Amino acid sequence: MPQIPEKIHELTVGQLAARSGAAVSALHFYESKGLISSRRTSGNQRRFSRDALRRVAFVRAAQRVGIPLATIREALAELPEERTPTEEDWARLSASWRSELDERIKQLNRLRDHLTDCIGCGCLSLETCVLSNPDDAFGERLTGSRLLVERRDNPAPAPASRAREREKECCD
């Protein structure tokens, strides 16, 4: 990793990329999303302050745990400009993300559990499988690939009886 002398207070995009491990294109993307900022020289070249190194590390660490860029941008906006995020900043901001991550973990656990059920069943039914057709609110009332107007002369079965029919179809 190239060392940058302490007396240099601004980095080129190439220096920032080399030090942070992020691609130049990623740095341009981060800048376009308001995660980092630069100033332009008279020759229209980007110059990043040294605190951009820590901000890029912050962004990449948050991305690795699945935090959306919009949430990361909001978190960085809480920090003063031209200041490197500190360990305390990271602790405070990451604590606020904990509940979001806990909810995602619950969702992944449910997905894993249904995957095991589905493999055991083997149906992969587009009509009844919670993996192929998650959160199917209309499936309790209607069938088919589209929502069609129910005909009054042929009412749909009650939700409870429809669920029993699906269970028979799936597992018999």
Side-chain angles (χ1 to χ4, degrees), residues 96-160:
S96 69
W97 298 334
R98 186 177 183 90
S99 63
E100 182 181 334
L101 291 173
D102 286 343
E103 182 57 35
R104 264 198 237 149
I105 289 168
K106 283 182 198 174
Q107 289 174 349
L108 287 171
N109 283 332
R110 281 194 300 269
L111 178 61
R112 180 202 58 219
D113 293 345
H114 286 298
L115 180 64
T116 303
D117 293 345
C118 202
I119 289 172
C121 169
C123 74
L124 291 177
S125 166
L126 292 178
E127 188 175 302
T128 60
C129 182
V130 293
L131 291 176
S132 299
N133 194 9
D135 303 321
D136 184 12
F138 290 106
E140 292 298 318
R141 295 186 300 118
L142 304 168
T143 61
S145 60
R146 290 176 242 167
L147 285 178
L148 300 175
V149 177
E150 291 182 44
R151 294 174 42 189
R152 293 180 191 249
D153 61 334
N154 189 10

Side-chain angles (χ1 to χ4, degrees), residues 33 35 58-59 62 66-78 93 96-97 100 104:
K33 296 298 180 187
L35 300 168
F58 184 96
V59 169
I67 303 300
L69 287 179
T71 304
I72 298 168
R73 182 180 51 248
E74 290 169 10
L76 287 171
E78 294 179 20
L93 294 170
S96 69
W97 298 334
E100 182 181 334
R104 264 198 237 149

